[in-house]
Amino acid sequence: MADLVFVYGTLTDDAQVAALLDSYRVVGEAVCVGFKRVDGRYPTLVPGESVSGRLLETSEIDRLDRYEGVNRGLYHRVSVSLASSLTASVSATTAEVYLAAPNVIGLGSLEEYWPGEGSFRARVDRHLGATHIERIS
């Protein structure tokens, strides 16, 4: 079964995706509402207005997890809801998104970017209700 993944950094480059994945499909350009991109050692998303990227479909989510350093604690994979206008055309209700804690990628403290209390993952989980992904082309 294939997963949808919203990408906003190096994986928006066709050559990079082709070098990493054996099987994928570019679904189209998209915007993730409720997040903005910030750049440290690597890019990540934090609460904000919106960020442009693209949707990929792949059955190689484990390979993406390795690339994004999920097992090393570099990035965390979360599910973000798709706008209803998008769900019918992709037969899914969510897309996976990779987020890094700001302090892990050299951006400063967690509190500067993620309001509230608790762990990074708890703060992200609370914010996910205010986010969704829309197709733009």
PDB file of all heavy atoms in Angstrom, residues 71-99:
ATOM      1  N   ASN A  71      14.896   7.066  12.908  1.00  0.00           N
ATOM      2  CA  ASN A  71      15.423   6.157  13.933  1.00  0.00           C
ATOM      3  C   ASN A  71      16.501   6.808  14.795  1.00  0.00           C
ATOM      4  O   ASN A  71      16.769   6.370  15.901  1.00  0.00           O
ATOM      5  CB  ASN A  71      15.954   4.868  13.297  1.00  0.00           C
ATOM      6  CG  ASN A  71      17.117   5.124  12.360  1.00  0.00           C
ATOM      7  OD1 ASN A  71      17.251   6.206  11.790  1.00  0.00           O
ATOM      8  ND2 ASN A  71      17.962   4.133  12.176  1.00  0.00           N
ATOM      9  N   ARG A  72      17.114   7.877  14.315  1.00  0.00           N
ATOM     10  CA  ARG A  72      18.140   8.612  15.069  1.00  0.00           C
ATOM     11  C   ARG A  72      17.554   9.794  15.833  1.00  0.00           C
ATOM     12  O   ARG A  72      18.285  10.541  16.481  1.00  0.00           O
ATOM     13  CB  ARG A  72      19.228   9.114  14.116  1.00  0.00           C
ATOM     14  CG  ARG A  72      19.958   8.030  13.375  1.00  0.00           C
ATOM     15  CD  ARG A  72      21.137   8.560  12.552  1.00  0.00           C
ATOM     16  NE  ARG A  72      20.946   9.862  11.929  1.00  0.00           N
ATOM     17  CZ  ARG A  72      20.536  10.065  10.672  1.00  0.00           C
ATOM     18  NH1 ARG A  72      20.231   9.036   9.907  1.00  0.00           N
ATOM     19  NH2 ARG A  72      20.432  11.288  10.178  1.00  0.00           N
ATOM     20  N   GLY A  73      16.237  10.018  15.705  1.00  0.00           N
ATOM     21  CA  GLY A  73      15.605  11.129  16.402  1.00  0.00           C
ATOM     22  C   GLY A  73      15.775  12.468  15.715  1.00  0.00           C
ATOM     23  O   GLY A  73      15.480  13.508  16.296  1.00  0.00           O
ATOM     24  N   LEU A  74      16.251  12.459  14.461  1.00  0.00           N
ATOM     25  CA  LEU A  74      16.436  13.722  13.744  1.00  0.00           C
ATOM     26  C   LEU A  74      15.083  14.296  13.327  1.00  0.00           C
ATOM     27  O   LEU A  74      14.765  15.442  13.637  1.00  0.00           O
ATOM     28  CB  LEU A  74      17.329  13.507  12.521  1.00  0.00           C
ATOM     29  CG  LEU A  74      17.660  14.751  11.708  1.00  0.00           C
ATOM     30  CD1 LEU A  74      18.355  15.806  12.565  1.00  0.00           C
ATOM     31  CD2 LEU A  74      18.539  14.383  10.516  1.00  0.00           C
ATOM     32  N   TYR A  75      14.287  13.512  12.634  1.00  0.00           N
ATOM     33  CA  TYR A  75      12.942  13.924  12.229  1.00  0.00           C
ATOM     34  C   TYR A  75      11.917  12.978  12.832  1.00  0.00           C
ATOM     35  O   TYR A  75      12.230  11.838  13.158  1.00  0.00           O
ATOM     36  CB  TYR A  75      12.791  13.919  10.698  1.00  0.00           C
ATOM     37  CG  TYR A  75      13.369  15.143  10.028  1.00  0.00           C
ATOM     38  CD1 TYR A  75      14.720  15.209   9.727  1.00  0.00           C
ATOM     39  CD2 TYR A  75      12.568  16.228   9.712  1.00  0.00           C
ATOM     40  CE1 TYR A  75      15.268  16.330   9.124  1.00  0.00           C
ATOM     41  CE2 TYR A  75      13.099  17.352   9.103  1.00  0.00           C
ATOM     42  CZ  TYR A  75      14.438  17.400   8.817  1.00  0.00           C
ATOM     43  OH  TYR A  75      14.968  18.507   8.225  1.00  0.00           O
ATOM     44  N   HIS A  76      10.701  13.483  12.953  1.00  0.00           N
ATOM     45  CA  HIS A  76       9.543  12.699  13.383  1.00  0.00           C
ATOM     46  C   HIS A  76       8.550  12.714  12.233  1.00  0.00           C
ATOM     47  O   HIS A  76       8.359  13.755  11.596  1.00  0.00           O
ATOM     48  CB  HIS A  76       8.893  13.323  14.621  1.00  0.00           C
ATOM     49  CG  HIS A  76       9.822  13.410  15.785  1.00  0.00           C
ATOM     50  ND1 HIS A  76       9.835  12.479  16.784  1.00  0.00           N
ATOM     51  CD2 HIS A  76      10.783  14.315  16.105  1.00  0.00           C
ATOM     52  CE1 HIS A  76      10.759  12.805  17.667  1.00  0.00           C
ATOM     53  NE2 HIS A  76      11.350  13.914  17.278  1.00  0.00           N
ATOM     54  N   ARG A  77       7.912  11.600  11.975  1.00  0.00           N
ATOM     55  CA  ARG A  77       6.892  11.533  10.922  1.00  0.00           C
ATOM     56  C   ARG A  77       5.524  11.658  11.573  1.00  0.00           C
ATOM     57  O   ARG A  77       5.213  10.929  12.497  1.00  0.00           O
ATOM     58  CB  ARG A  77       7.012  10.229  10.146  1.00  0.00           C
ATOM     59  CG  ARG A  77       5.970  10.111   9.051  1.00  0.00           C
ATOM     60  CD  ARG A  77       6.241   8.989   8.066  1.00  0.00           C
ATOM     61  NE  ARG A  77       6.779   7.769   8.598  1.00  0.00           N
ATOM     62  CZ  ARG A  77       6.049   6.689   8.902  1.00  0.00           C
ATOM     63  NH1 ARG A  77       4.742   6.694   8.753  1.00  0.00           N
ATOM     64  NH2 ARG A  77       6.636   5.594   9.345  1.00  0.00           N
ATOM     65  N   VAL A  78       4.719  12.610  11.063  1.00  0.00           N
ATOM     66  CA  VAL A  78       3.366  12.819  11.574  1.00  0.00           C
ATOM     67  C   VAL A  78       2.383  12.791  10.412  1.00  0.00           C
ATOM     68  O   VAL A  78       2.755  13.035   9.264  1.00  0.00           O
ATOM     69  CB  VAL A  78       3.241  14.153  12.347  1.00  0.00           C
ATOM     70  CG1 VAL A  78       4.164  14.173  13.555  1.00  0.00           C
ATOM     71  CG2 VAL A  78       3.502  15.357  11.446  1.00  0.00           C
ATOM     72  N   SER A  79       1.123  12.505  10.720  1.00  0.00           N
ATOM     73  CA  SER A  79       0.065  12.495   9.706  1.00  0.00           C
ATOM     74  C   SER A  79      -0.707  13.803   9.769  1.00  0.00           C
ATOM     75  O   SER A  79      -1.153  14.210  10.838  1.00  0.00           O
ATOM     76  CB  SER A  79      -0.896  11.333   9.958  1.00  0.00           C
ATOM     77  OG  SER A  79      -0.224  10.105   9.793  1.00  0.00           O
ATOM     78  N   VAL A  80      -0.852  14.441   8.611  1.00  0.00           N
ATOM     79  CA  VAL A  80      -1.586  15.698   8.497  1.00  0.00           C
ATOM     80  C   VAL A  80      -2.796  15.455   7.611  1.00  0.00           C
ATOM     81  O   VAL A  80      -2.694  14.801   6.568  1.00  0.00           O
ATOM     82  CB  VAL A  80      -0.689  16.817   7.912  1.00  0.00           C
ATOM     83  CG1 VAL A  80      -1.489  18.079   7.650  1.00  0.00           C
ATOM     84  CG2 VAL A  80       0.490  17.094   8.852  1.00  0.00           C
ATOM     85  N   SER A  81      -3.939  15.983   8.027  1.00  0.00           N
ATOM     86  CA  SER A  81      -5.184  15.808   7.277  1.00  0.00           C
ATOM     87  C   SER A  81      -5.118  16.466   5.910  1.00  0.00           C
ATOM     88  O   SER A  81      -4.512  17.526   5.743  1.00  0.00           O
ATOM     89  CB  SER A  81      -6.351  16.413   8.049  1.00  0.00           C
ATOM     90  OG  SER A  81      -6.531  15.747   9.268  1.00  0.00           O
ATOM     91  N   LEU A  82      -5.778  15.838   4.953  1.00  0.00           N
ATOM     92  CA  LEU A  82      -5.922  16.422   3.622  1.00  0.00           C
ATOM     93  C   LEU A  82      -7.246  17.172   3.554  1.00  0.00           C
ATOM     94  O   LEU A  82      -8.245  16.729   4.146  1.00  0.00           O
ATOM     95  CB  LEU A  82      -5.916  15.329   2.551  1.00  0.00           C
ATOM     96  CG  LEU A  82      -4.669  14.464   2.461  1.00  0.00           C
ATOM     97  CD1 LEU A  82      -4.844  13.414   1.368  1.00  0.00           C
ATOM     98  CD2 LEU A  82      -3.432  15.301   2.197  1.00  0.00           C
ATOM     99  N   ALA A  83      -7.276  18.275   2.832  1.00  0.00           N
ATOM    100  CA  ALA A  83      -8.521  19.013   2.609  1.00  0.00           C
ATOM    101  C   ALA A  83      -9.500  18.109   1.878  1.00  0.00           C
ATOM    102  O   ALA A  83      -9.101  17.276   1.052  1.00  0.00           O
ATOM    103  CB  ALA A  83      -8.246  20.274   1.798  1.00  0.00           C
ATOM    104  N   SER A  84     -10.772  18.268   2.169  1.00  0.00           N
ATOM    105  CA  SER A  84     -11.790  17.413   1.547  1.00  0.00           C
ATOM    106  C   SER A  84     -11.755  17.507   0.026  1.00  0.00           C
ATOM    107  O   SER A  84     -12.049  16.533  -0.662  1.00  0.00           O
ATOM    108  CB  SER A  84     -13.177  17.748   2.086  1.00  0.00           C
ATOM    109  OG  SER A  84     -13.475  19.104   1.853  1.00  0.00           O
ATOM    110  N   SER A  85     -11.361  18.641  -0.513  1.00  0.00           N
ATOM    111  CA  SER A  85     -11.274  18.790  -1.969  1.00  0.00           C
ATOM    112  C   SER A  85     -10.178  17.911  -2.567  1.00  0.00           C
ATOM    113  O   SER A  85     -10.175  17.644  -3.760  1.00  0.00           O
ATOM    114  CB  SER A  85     -11.009  20.251  -2.327  1.00  0.00           C
ATOM    115  OG  SER A  85      -9.800  20.691  -1.727  1.00  0.00           O
ATOM    116  N   LEU A  86      -9.276  17.433  -1.749  1.00  0.00           N
ATOM    117  CA  LEU A  86      -8.162  16.611  -2.212  1.00  0.00           C
ATOM    118  C   LEU A  86      -8.389  15.124  -1.958  1.00  0.00           C
ATOM    119  O   LEU A  86      -7.899  14.286  -2.718  1.00  0.00           O
ATOM    120  CB  LEU A  86      -6.880  17.076  -1.500  1.00  0.00           C
ATOM    121  CG  LEU A  86      -5.558  16.426  -1.827  1.00  0.00           C
ATOM    122  CD1 LEU A  86      -5.261  16.492  -3.316  1.00  0.00           C
ATOM    123  CD2 LEU A  86      -4.450  17.109  -1.050  1.00  0.00           C
ATOM    124  N   THR A  87      -9.135  14.773  -0.936  1.00  0.00           N
ATOM    125  CA  THR A  87      -9.255  13.370  -0.536  1.00  0.00           C
ATOM    126  C   THR A  87      -9.862  12.479  -1.610  1.00  0.00           C
ATOM    127  O   THR A  87      -9.437  11.339  -1.786  1.00  0.00           O
ATOM    128  CB  THR A  87     -10.057  13.210   0.772  1.00  0.00           C
ATOM    129  OG1 THR A  87     -11.342  13.794   0.605  1.00  0.00           O
ATOM    130  CG2 THR A  87      -9.334  13.850   1.941  1.00  0.00           C
ATOM    131  N   ALA A  88     -10.832  12.971  -2.336  1.00  0.00           N
ATOM    132  CA  ALA A  88     -11.480  12.137  -3.361  1.00  0.00           C
ATOM    133  C   ALA A  88     -10.520  11.779  -4.492  1.00  0.00           C
ATOM    134  O   ALA A  88     -10.552  10.666  -5.012  1.00  0.00           O
ATOM    135  CB  ALA A  88     -12.704  12.845  -3.919  1.00  0.00           C
ATOM    136  N   SER A  89      -9.643  12.705  -4.850  1.00  0.00           N
ATOM    137  CA  SER A  89      -8.757  12.454  -5.983  1.00  0.00           C
ATOM    138  C   SER A  89      -7.556  11.583  -5.626  1.00  0.00           C
ATOM    139  O   SER A  89      -6.903  11.053  -6.520  1.00  0.00           O
ATOM    140  CB  SER A  89      -8.289  13.777  -6.591  1.00  0.00           C
ATOM    141  OG  SER A  89      -7.529  14.502  -5.660  1.00  0.00           O
ATOM    142  N   VAL A  90      -7.250  11.419  -4.339  1.00  0.00           N
ATOM    143  CA  VAL A  90      -6.082  10.623  -3.956  1.00  0.00           C
ATOM    144  C   VAL A  90      -6.437   9.383  -3.136  1.00  0.00           C
ATOM    145  O   VAL A  90      -5.568   8.604  -2.790  1.00  0.00           O
ATOM    146  CB  VAL A  90      -5.047  11.465  -3.176  1.00  0.00           C
ATOM    147  CG1 VAL A  90      -4.462  12.542  -4.067  1.00  0.00           C
ATOM    148  CG2 VAL A  90      -5.632  12.034  -1.910  1.00  0.00           C
ATOM    149  N   SER A  91      -7.702   9.198  -2.818  1.00  0.00           N
ATOM    150  CA  SER A  91      -8.157   8.039  -2.032  1.00  0.00           C
ATOM    151  C   SER A  91      -7.411   7.908  -0.711  1.00  0.00           C
ATOM    152  O   SER A  91      -7.005   6.817  -0.316  1.00  0.00           O
ATOM    153  CB  SER A  91      -8.027   6.751  -2.846  1.00  0.00           C
ATOM    154  OG  SER A  91      -8.806   6.830  -4.015  1.00  0.00           O
ATOM    155  N   ALA A  92      -7.177   9.035  -0.053  1.00  0.00           N
ATOM    156  CA  ALA A  92      -6.532   9.056   1.262  1.00  0.00           C
ATOM    157  C   ALA A  92      -7.098  10.224   2.045  1.00  0.00           C
ATOM    158  O   ALA A  92      -7.687  11.147   1.471  1.00  0.00           O
ATOM    159  CB  ALA A  92      -5.025   9.200   1.112  1.00  0.00           C
ATOM    160  N   THR A  93      -6.915  10.203   3.345  1.00  0.00           N
ATOM    161  CA  THR A  93      -7.388  11.315   4.182  1.00  0.00           C
ATOM    162  C   THR A  93      -6.245  12.051   4.867  1.00  0.00           C
ATOM    163  O   THR A  93      -6.452  13.109   5.446  1.00  0.00           O
ATOM    164  CB  THR A  93      -8.377  10.812   5.253  1.00  0.00           C
ATOM    165  OG1 THR A  93      -7.714   9.828   6.063  1.00  0.00           O
ATOM    166  CG2 THR A  93      -9.624  10.217   4.614  1.00  0.00           C
ATOM    167  N   THR A  94      -5.030  11.477   4.808  1.00  0.00           N
ATOM    168  CA  THR A  94      -3.870  12.103   5.436  1.00  0.00           C
ATOM    169  C   THR A  94      -2.639  11.933   4.547  1.00  0.00           C
ATOM    170  O   THR A  94      -2.602  11.088   3.663  1.00  0.00           O
ATOM    171  CB  THR A  94      -3.554  11.482   6.815  1.00  0.00           C
ATOM    172  OG1 THR A  94      -3.242  10.104   6.646  1.00  0.00           O
ATOM    173  CG2 THR A  94      -4.696  11.662   7.793  1.00  0.00           C
ATOM    174  N   ALA A  95      -1.649  12.757   4.831  1.00  0.00           N
ATOM    175  CA  ALA A  95      -0.331  12.618   4.216  1.00  0.00           C
ATOM    176  C   ALA A  95       0.703  12.690   5.332  1.00  0.00           C
ATOM    177  O   ALA A  95       0.507  13.389   6.332  1.00  0.00           O
ATOM    178  CB  ALA A  95      -0.075  13.715   3.192  1.00  0.00           C
ATOM    179  N   GLU A  96       1.780  11.985   5.158  1.00  0.00           N
ATOM    180  CA  GLU A  96       2.860  11.991   6.135  1.00  0.00           C
ATOM    181  C   GLU A  96       3.727  13.230   5.911  1.00  0.00           C
ATOM    182  O   GLU A  96       3.940  13.659   4.775  1.00  0.00           O
ATOM    183  CB  GLU A  96       3.709  10.731   6.004  1.00  0.00           C
ATOM    184  CG  GLU A  96       2.920   9.444   6.186  1.00  0.00           C
ATOM    185  CD  GLU A  96       2.181   9.393   7.501  1.00  0.00           C
ATOM    186  OE1 GLU A  96       2.836   9.458   8.559  1.00  0.00           O
ATOM    187  OE2 GLU A  96       0.935   9.301   7.482  1.00  0.00           O
ATOM    188  N   VAL A  97       4.206  13.806   7.009  1.00  0.00           N
ATOM    189  CA  VAL A  97       5.071  14.986   6.968  1.00  0.00           C
ATOM    190  C   VAL A  97       6.191  14.765   7.975  1.00  0.00           C
ATOM    191  O   VAL A  97       5.949  14.276   9.080  1.00  0.00           O
ATOM    192  CB  VAL A  97       4.283  16.270   7.326  1.00  0.00           C
ATOM    193  CG1 VAL A  97       5.190  17.488   7.319  1.00  0.00           C
ATOM    194  CG2 VAL A  97       3.108  16.479   6.384  1.00  0.00           C
ATOM    195  N   TYR A  98       7.409  15.131   7.590  1.00  0.00           N
ATOM    196  CA  TYR A  98       8.558  14.991   8.481  1.00  0.00           C
ATOM    197  C   TYR A  98       8.869  16.329   9.132  1.00  0.00           C
ATOM    198  O   TYR A  98       9.012  17.344   8.449  1.00  0.00           O
ATOM    199  CB  TYR A  98       9.774  14.489   7.703  1.00  0.00           C
ATOM    200  CG  TYR A  98       9.615  13.059   7.253  1.00  0.00           C
ATOM    201  CD1 TYR A  98       9.078  12.751   6.012  1.00  0.00           C
ATOM    202  CD2 TYR A  98       9.980  12.010   8.096  1.00  0.00           C
ATOM    203  CE1 TYR A  98       8.917  11.430   5.605  1.00  0.00           C
ATOM    204  CE2 TYR A  98       9.822  10.682   7.694  1.00  0.00           C
ATOM    205  CZ  TYR A  98       9.289  10.408   6.458  1.00  0.00           C
ATOM    206  OH  TYR A  98       9.127   9.095   6.065  1.00  0.00           O
ATOM    207  N   LEU A  99       8.976  16.317  10.471  1.00  0.00           N
ATOM    208  CA  LEU A  99       9.274  17.509  11.262  1.00  0.00           C
ATOM    209  C   LEU A  99      10.465  17.234  12.166  1.00  0.00           C
ATOM    210  O   LEU A  99      10.555  16.154  12.748  1.00  0.00           O
ATOM    211  CB  LEU A  99       8.086  17.880  12.158  1.00  0.00           C
ATOM    212  CG  LEU A  99       6.731  18.082  11.508  1.00  0.00           C
ATOM    213  CD1 LEU A  99       5.670  18.285  12.580  1.00  0.00           C
ATOM    214  CD2 LEU A  99       6.763  19.257  10.563  1.00  0.00           C
TER     215      LEU A  99
END
